Structures are given as structure tokens and as C-alpha cells.
Amino acid sequence: MAIIETKKLTRKFGSFTAVDSLDIIIEPGEAFALLGPNGAGKTTAIKMLTTLLPVTSGEAFICGFNIVTQPNKVRGVIGYVPQMLSVDGTLSGMENLLLFARLYDIPSKECKPRVLDSLTFMGLIDAAKKPVREYSGGMIRRLEIAQSMLHHPPVLFLDEPTVGLDPIACKTVWDHILQLKKEFNTTILMTTHLMEEADHLSNRIAFMSRGKLVASGTPQELKDSINKPGSTLEDVFIHYTSETLSEGNNYSSISRERKTAKRLG
């Protein structure tokens, strides 16, 4: 049984269709990357799946729960790490996680042990009592992932998990994401502009362009699909989204990316 399934999932803003009849099926334990240029509809799709944005038409199910009619059930089985900052810089790492443990309704006697386990798992136990404003960008991202996993959700959404991070911090975050997948069989749906990241982390990839799904498959299947010797995932990206790329990126999406990079850098 699919752990995530969308059926003609659509979101419109007035006359503009941001996500157009999206059909995807993700199996338990998969790492699935949703790729495309700025404005392709990736983040809008994730916001619908995480119940943060109403659906215009179509439907979607996570762990069998309908995102429209059972939003509270959906929120109980997902974790979400957005692009923008989701931790409080004035609090310590431990204080941030204890606060979220209460928000997740984790029983009080379990809160501290679970927080300590999460900090240890993400390699942050030595910085647990330091204010988050003193953390590096990579440490902040790992704390946000720890925060999203406190209630042990089977599905984790990652929107640009390593944007603005240096290569060493990226690798550290990658290692922890792969560890989550291996040890907890966590299903991961992520967006990224880093083709190396998608290639390294994902079992399957779907490309979006102008709100539509234009190609999907394993990284190797997608490389083979363009009939170019020695093709890379960058070649695949350009092949399937070249029409959108030629139109340029809009101001708001570029501004959002720069703000995210700045706060992590």
C-alpha cells in the first residue's frame, strides 16, 4: 500500500494553476525527490500535502488519511522541515525540542528522554544547552529535522533541506537523512535544487514544470530516458524543464531562496 498518493491534486490561485493534476505514488521507506525550476509547483504541492494550503481539486492520502477530510490525522503522521526558520534562536536546542514535544502532545514523562535521544541521534547533544543563535547553519538544519521527528512520524517532508549550507554541512545533513531512512524506515519527500543531493539521497525522482509532472523514475532511468551518453541529472533537469527555464525565475521565489540562504549561512 502506498504511504503517499495524490490523485489529480490541483491548486489554483485565481486563474493561475500552480499545481496541475499531480499524480504520484510513494512507497513506504522511499526517499522521493520533487524537482523543478522555481515556480514549478514543488513547494505548493508540499504545502497541500502537509495541510498548510487548501486543495482546489483532486485528493491525496498519507498513511491512508485524506488530507482534506482528515487533516488532524495527517498532521499526526508527518514531520515537516520548511525552507524558512522554524526554531527559536533565543532558546537552547533542548528548550526548542521540549517546547515542540509539548506541542506534539508527547506524554510529559517521555518528553525529556525523547528529546535527548533526538539530540544524540542528530549529533547535537554537546550543544544541547547552547542558544540556537550560536549554532552553525548545518546545526540549525539538523535541529529542525530532530524537531520534526520527535513524534516519530513515518513520513518526513523536507523543503530544500540544505539550501545555503557549505559542502561539509550538506554532507552531515545527508548522512543523518540517510540514517533516518535506514534506522526508522522513514519515508522522505523532499525538494531540492541540488542535483547531486537528489541523486545521492533519492530512490525515485519526479520533475515538475509549470505545475505539471513531466517525468519520473529512478535517477538512472531518468538519465537513460534522454538518450545522451554519460548524461547527468543536470542534463535530465534541463531536458525536461528547458521551456520553463527559458522564461526566467520570478522575483518572489529568488528572494525567498536568498533569505533562506542568508539565515543558514
Side-chain angles (χ1 to χ4, degrees):
M1 177 180 171
I3 198 164
I4 300 175
E5 183 176 8
T6 71
K7 299 179 179 180
K8 299 194 179 304
L9 189 65
T10 300
R11 172 65 194 191
K12 295 184 178 182
F13 296 94
S15 61
F16 173 69
T17 303
V19 176
D20 192 352
S21 299
L22 181 66
D23 289 322
I24 56 173
I25 293 176
I26 302 174
E27 301 297 331
E30 270 197 297
F32 191 96
L34 201 56
L35 308 183
N38 290 326
K42 309 181 300 297
T43 295
T44 300
I46 281 187
K47 285 185 175 179
M48 284 192 287
L49 291 172
T50 54
T51 75
L52 295 174
L53 193 64
V55 173
T56 301
S57 63
E59 56 186 353
F61 301 88
I62 299 177
C63 297
F65 299 121
N66 189 303
I67 65 170
V68 175
T69 62
Q70 299 172 292
N72 289 334
K73 294 284 189 181
V74 170
R75 292 172 198 140
V77 296
I78 65 171
Y80 175 45
V81 181
Q83 287 185 28
M84 303 306 290
L85 190 65
S86 59
V87 289
D88 188 332
T90 66
L91 301 179
S92 69
M94 181 176 288
E95 288 169 336
N96 269 283
L97 295 195
L98 285 170
L99 175 61
F100 268 79
R102 296 187 188 100
L103 293 175
Y104 285 133
D105 291 327
I106 294 170
S108 57
K109 66 180 180 180
E110 294 182 27
C111 284
K112 192 167 184 179
R114 197 175 293 195
V115 164
L116 290 173
D117 285 346
S118 295
L119 288 166
T120 300
F121 182 82
M122 297 305 292
L124 294 170
I125 194 66
D126 291 339
K129 295 183 179 180
K130 291 182 180 180
V132 171
R133 62 173 174 265
E134 297 179 11
Y135 284 20
S136 68
M139 292 169 70
I140 291 172
R141 214 46 164 164
R142 282 184 280 144
L143 181 65
E144 290 174 325
I145 294 172
Q147 177 178 279
S148 71
M149 293 297 294
L150 274 176
H151 56 310
H152 299 164
V155 179
L156 178 61
F157 291 89
L158 301 171
D159 197 1
E160 301 283 350
T162 58
V163 64
L165 300 185
D166 63 60
I168 294 174
C170 279
K171 185 181 184 306
T172 302
V173 172
W174 290 358
D175 289 345
H176 282 88
I177 290 172
L178 289 172
Q179 195 174 356
L180 278 174
K181 184 173 175 291
K182 180 180 179 181
E183 293 194 18
F184 299 101
N185 199 39
T186 306
T187 302
I188 297 168
L189 176 55
M190 61 181 285
T191 70
T192 180
H193 283 300
L194 301 177
M195 296 302 104
E196 181 186 2
E197 182 166 82
D199 209 348
H200 180 64
L201 296 179
S202 305
N203 301 106
R204 288 191 300 133
I205 293 169
F207 283 96
M208 292 183 70
S209 180
R210 292 180 170 179
K212 289 182 175 291
L213 185 69
V214 292
S216 64
T218 67
Q220 191 57 54
E221 287 171 346
L222 288 164
K223 292 171 192 174
D224 293 342
S225 72
I226 64 173
N227 298 315
K228 179 180 178 180
S231 63
T232 65
L233 212 53
E234 285 87 351
D235 296 321
V236 178
F237 182 95
I238 292 168
H239 178 84
Y240 285 110
T241 67
S242 58
E243 186 175 355
T244 304
L245 287 171
S246 67
E247 297 171 354
N249 294 321
N250 63 56
Y251 175 84
S252 61
S253 60
I254 293 172
S255 176
R256 183 175 61 249
E257 279 194 0
R258 289 180 178 174
K259 286 179 181 176
T260 305
K262 182 179 179 181
R263 66 95 175 174
L264 288 173

